[in-house]
Amino acid sequence: MKQSKPGKLAPARLQQWRLATQLGFFTLFVLAPALNLLRFDLTDTQLWFLGQRWSLGIDALTNGQISATDAALQLVWRAFVPGLLVVTVFLGVAYRYGRLYCGWLCPHFSMVEMLNKLLHRACGKLSIWDKSPTPRPGATPHAGWWPLFALSCALMGFIWAITLLTYLLPPAVIWGGLTEGTLTPNQTRFLLIASTVFTLEFAFARHLFCRFGCAVGLFQSLAWMANPKGMVVAFTRERARECKTCDTPRGSACDNACPMRLNPRNIKRMMFSCVQCGQCLTACDATQQAQQRTPTLEWQVGVEALRETLRQRQREQKERH
């Protein structure tokens, strides 16, 4: 079957690579402050980046060591130019490939997927707000998983709270104060409030946050939607009947595999929150090959993606008339 460049990797291997990138980035997210890779120290108003103190020249200007012109130039080259470069590259990737950061790197979405699996083991749903269970092969809900789900939400909430605090205050002070019981009242209040908020978000609103509350995800989606050649999950609609029997009796495997609970065979504008995780492709490949058929879903980018978008628009127009 012809595949676009992003889809050359076998679907099963694709998920292995994605798990590796998620674990690696999550580890980086937690350890970055301790390694001074990225943090802003409020105690001495100092930005640390890649192990080095990152100065904008404001202190030197205040002490009369440099002129106002030199300070302005440093501000441009050390703040605005790097910031603009990061934003340009980030949105450039999103423009072509969609919410790739969300599906492959984002620490929050990594936890969303893990908690999805635990909740599904407990009640067969991916969210407590779902009206009906999401059927998946080999999964039988058991109430014994509820305590682990609740404990995981609380643990992740605490990790998020203390990690964010170490991005603002010296990690040694925070972790030392936690282990020795010497945290200040303000630090204790922050950890208690933030841990509670994050725990509730992970338990009740993690999907809603990814869809509507995350600015990073929103801007990626907007950039992707503006590009008709951006990477999409293309569906061979001539074989639509095969989807009804691909995972009997559970229905279409791709619908049940999507962690964002989207219909991967839908038109692009209905896939606004797609995170390009490729789980629908993996499920499609597994179920179709089990019946000695080729997958009906594949990634398309560039001209092929544009053709898919145009086909979708033509179908929409026909349906309206």
Side-chain angles (χ1 to χ4, degrees), residues 42 157-169 174 183-198:
L42 292 177
F158 173 74
I159 290 177
W160 238 252
I162 197 168
T163 299
L164 292 182
L165 190 58
T166 59
Y167 273 90
L168 301 175
L169 295 174
I174 300 303
L183 290 173
T184 67
N186 284 338
Q187 293 168 356
T188 303
R189 277 192 289 270
F190 177 89
L191 287 178
L192 287 175
I193 295 173
S195 295
T196 301
V197 171
F198 282 120

Side-chain angles (χ1 to χ4, degrees), residues 1 236-243 288 293-296:
M1 184 178 195
T236 308
R237 297 186 181 275
E238 297 78 12
R239 298 169 54 199
R241 289 186 177 181
E242 296 179 8
C243 292
Q288 294 290 2
R293 300 189 302 226
T294 57
T296 58

Side-chain angles (χ1 to χ4, degrees), residues 149-221:
F149 171 74
L151 180 62
S152 297
C153 290
L155 178 61
M156 289 303 106
F158 173 74
I159 290 177
W160 238 252
I162 197 168
T163 299
L164 292 182
L165 190 58
T166 59
Y167 273 90
L168 301 175
L169 295 174
V173 172
I174 300 303
W175 284 105
L178 182 67
T179 56
E180 297 171 8
T182 58
L183 290 173
T184 67
N186 284 338
Q187 293 168 356
T188 303
R189 277 192 289 270
F190 177 89
L191 287 178
L192 287 175
I193 295 173
S195 295
T196 301
V197 171
F198 282 120
T199 297
L200 293 175
E201 188 270 336
F202 279 126
F204 301 105
R206 57 189 183 278
H207 297 101
L208 294 176
F209 177 80
C210 287
R211 288 190 178 191
F212 309 112
C214 179
V216 176
L218 174 64
F219 283 109
Q220 286 181 94
S221 291

Side-chain angles (χ1 to χ4, degrees), residues 15 35 47 159 213 258:
Q15 296 307 317
L35 299 176
L47 175 66
I159 290 177
C258 180

